[in-house]
Amino acid sequence: MAVLWRTQFATVTLNILLGIPFVLTNKDFCGSVFETQVDHALVGHVIQTNVVVDEFECQLKCMGNNSCKSINVHPGEGNEKRSCELNNTTRQMKPGHFKKKKGSTYYNSVQASCMDVSRGRKQITKSGQCHPEYKGKHCETPTRGLYFNQPGHSCKDIRDSGYFQKDGEYWIDPEKNGSSLKVFCDMTTDGGGWLLVYNVIAGGTVPPTYLNIETTYAGVSRYSSNRMVLSLDGMRELRSRISFTQLRFHCHKQQHGRTFHIKTAANSSGEAVARFFAGDTDVFPKACGSFEKLKGDNSILASRCVEWGTENGAIRVGKWGHEGHKELYIYSAFVVGSYHWITWPSSNAWQYDDNFEKIVTSGDFWRIYVR
């Protein structure tokens, strides 16, 4: 659905409609979110085309390109791959080039003001009326997460504030001490509120030669490196700040077309998994009953939880983790000799639902979120 932001001045509203850049002072600016138009695309302004696995990867590519103003995401063959087009303009600037295109999705970043001129008002409202999704500095309730000086405590905290339902970058302050971090929050999957703590994306057919093992929780702000993995110490530190109780694992390799997508359950068995990978306990958590499959999961690994893990020299004990390892990136979920979750450059192992398979394709990804 199209979005029209209400602002303090009529000229600013007109500029948004025409796509003309403008600058608001910090006190007037709430931030940016992605506008989404399903079954549409902007035609004729593509500056770069990439093959991606999902919209998330396409958004990352746009964030990393200063010339990118919007994106088109088109379905690929067999829905395994998607075509990501970066545009150097927006539909507002080129309305005649915005076309219906079945199956495609258009995104562009939209700036939102905290001010309101509805019904002809041209001054700051005393009652705090804003766009329905925003409550900024001049409104009754400060917005959480959209600006560095108004961070949320976590992605879940921002989700619980009730205003933001878009995936993207948000500001959080886990210590509530004014040290804000820009992070990626998934606000749409399974109710949203997920903080990305592990993001590995293959850039080609040659496996990555290194990972950025982040030793403090602040490393989650470097997710766009596509090599970011939070260490055990980082996970422990993060859990002590935001008390997350769930993990979500999501990965896909194009070679065999399978997707592993699960979340730990919102119960004591699920929280035991979060406690284990945050270093709060040395007890290997049981696998079966501790997680739920999510949309798109067609993995073999998720269907054979009774065979997971190693403990006390025994294999296939039905538990998370690997004896001698508690890191998320080394055998966190696996069936010995068959199906593994692992991103381990030193052993050249890049698996999640396969056995010692070293072949990767551009766009293959491994992601873990906490909530």
Side-chain angles (χ1 to χ4, degrees):
M1 182 176 65
V3 180
L4 174 61
W5 309 116
R6 293 178 290 176
T7 59
Q8 182 183 16
F9 303 105
T11 53
V12 173
T13 302
L14 180 62
N15 283 347
I16 294 178
L17 291 172
L18 296 178
I20 300 172
F22 66 92
V23 177
L24 293 172
T25 62
N26 287 346
K27 67 181 181 179
D28 300 332
F29 179 53
C30 276
S32 300
V33 295
F34 271 112
E35 173 196 36
T36 305
Q37 294 280 349
V38 178
D39 291 333
H40 284 78
L42 186 66
V43 178
H45 301 280
V46 177
I47 56 173
Q48 182 179 321
T49 301
N50 305 277
V51 175
V52 298
V53 173
D54 56 16
E55 288 84 352
F56 175 90
E57 186 182 355
C58 192
Q59 290 173 10
L60 282 180
K61 291 184 181 297
C62 186
M63 291 175 188
N65 188 320
N66 291 333
S67 299
C68 180
K69 306 301 181 187
S70 64
I71 61 175
N72 304 316
V73 182
H74 307 293
E77 297 180 4
N79 292 325
E80 295 297 339
K81 300 178 182 179
R82 303 183 189 184
S83 175
C84 165
E85 295 178 342
L86 308 188
N87 304 316
N88 61 2
T89 188
T90 67
R91 72 176 185 88
Q92 289 91 347
M93 297 176 72
K94 300 291 182 180
H97 299 177
F98 189 61
K99 308 292 184 182
K100 286 188 176 181
K101 191 172 181 66
K102 185 70 174 178
S104 299
T105 306
Y106 167 86
Y107 300 86
N108 75 269
S109 182
V110 180
Q111 292 183 327
S113 170
C114 300
M115 308 174 75
D116 188 355
V117 290
S118 59
R119 296 186 294 276
R121 283 191 294 267
K122 292 189 178 182
Q123 59 185 5
I124 299 170
T125 62
K126 295 182 180 179
S127 62
Q129 298 180 32
C130 291
H131 182 277
E133 292 187 2
Y134 295 90
K135 291 193 174 183
K137 189 171 182 179
H138 291 294
C139 303
E140 295 172 341
T141 306
T143 301
R144 283 181 242 170
L146 202 57
Y147 205 56
F148 78 95
N149 61 351
Q150 294 176 348
H153 181 52
S154 65
C155 293
K156 183 176 182 295
D157 175 54
I158 297 170
R159 189 276 314 262
D160 290 346
S161 70
Y163 298 103
F164 301 108
Q165 308 299 326
K166 306 289 185 182
D167 299 343
E169 291 183 326
Y170 292 88
W171 292 90
I172 66 171
D173 182 2
E175 297 190 55
K176 299 183 179 180
N177 64 357
S179 300
S180 300
L181 299 172
K182 183 183 286 186
V183 299
F184 187 89
C185 298
D186 181 332
M187 296 299 200
T188 57
T189 302
D190 188 58
W194 296 100
L195 168 64
L196 185 65
V197 300
Y198 182 125
N199 186 44
V200 177
I201 302 176
T205 56
V206 177
T209 57
Y210 69 95
L211 293 179
N212 295 325
I213 309 297
E214 303 292 348
T215 58
T216 72
Y217 78 83
V220 297
S221 65
R222 291 182 280 277
Y223 74 88
S224 60
S225 70
N226 296 342
R227 296 288 184 276
M228 181 269 289
V229 175
L230 211 57
S231 69
L232 180 62
D233 287 340
M235 288 287 287
R236 181 185 293 111
E237 188 182 28
L238 182 64
R239 181 169 156 82
S240 72
R241 276 23 177 220
I242 67 172
S243 302
F244 63 82
T245 59
Q246 288 183 283
L247 301 175
R248 177 161 67 90
F249 293 73
H250 190 197
C251 53
H252 177 83
K253 286 181 74 173
Q254 298 173 57
Q255 182 188 22
H256 53 52
R258 292 197 299 274
T259 297
F260 181 62
H261 195 193
I262 66 170
K263 68 167 183 176
T264 56
N267 56 28
S268 58
S269 295
E271 186 168 358
V273 180
R275 293 179 63 239
F276 178 78
F277 285 114
D280 292 344
T281 178
D282 292 326
V283 178
F284 290 94
K286 291 183 179 180
C288 296
S290 70
F291 68 87
E292 303 169 12
K293 294 183 180 182
L294 292 175
K295 182 178 180 180
D297 180 274
N298 63 351
S299 67
I300 299 173
L301 180 59
S303 300
R304 295 175 61 172
C305 58
V306 71
E307 301 176 62
W308 286 17
T310 68
E311 183 183 26
N312 297 326
I315 63 173
R316 305 193 180 199
V317 293
K319 295 185 177 182
W320 290 82
H322 185 293
E323 196 164 35
H325 293 288
K326 293 177 68 175
E327 304 92 340
L328 281 170
Y329 56 95
I330 303 177
Y331 296 126
S332 49
F334 76 109
V335 176
V336 175
S338 300
Y339 309 101
H340 308 146
W341 173 293
I342 181 171
T343 55
W344 197 358
S346 61
S347 63
N348 198 21
W350 302 91
Q351 308 149 37
Y352 77 90
D353 204 37
D354 47 9
N355 178 25
F356 299 112
E357 180 56 72
K358 298 178 181 179
I359 298 174
V360 297
T361 304
S362 179
D364 290 353
F365 66 85
W366 293 257
R367 297 180 189 131
I368 299 177
Y369 302 79
V370 301
R371 180 172 69 183

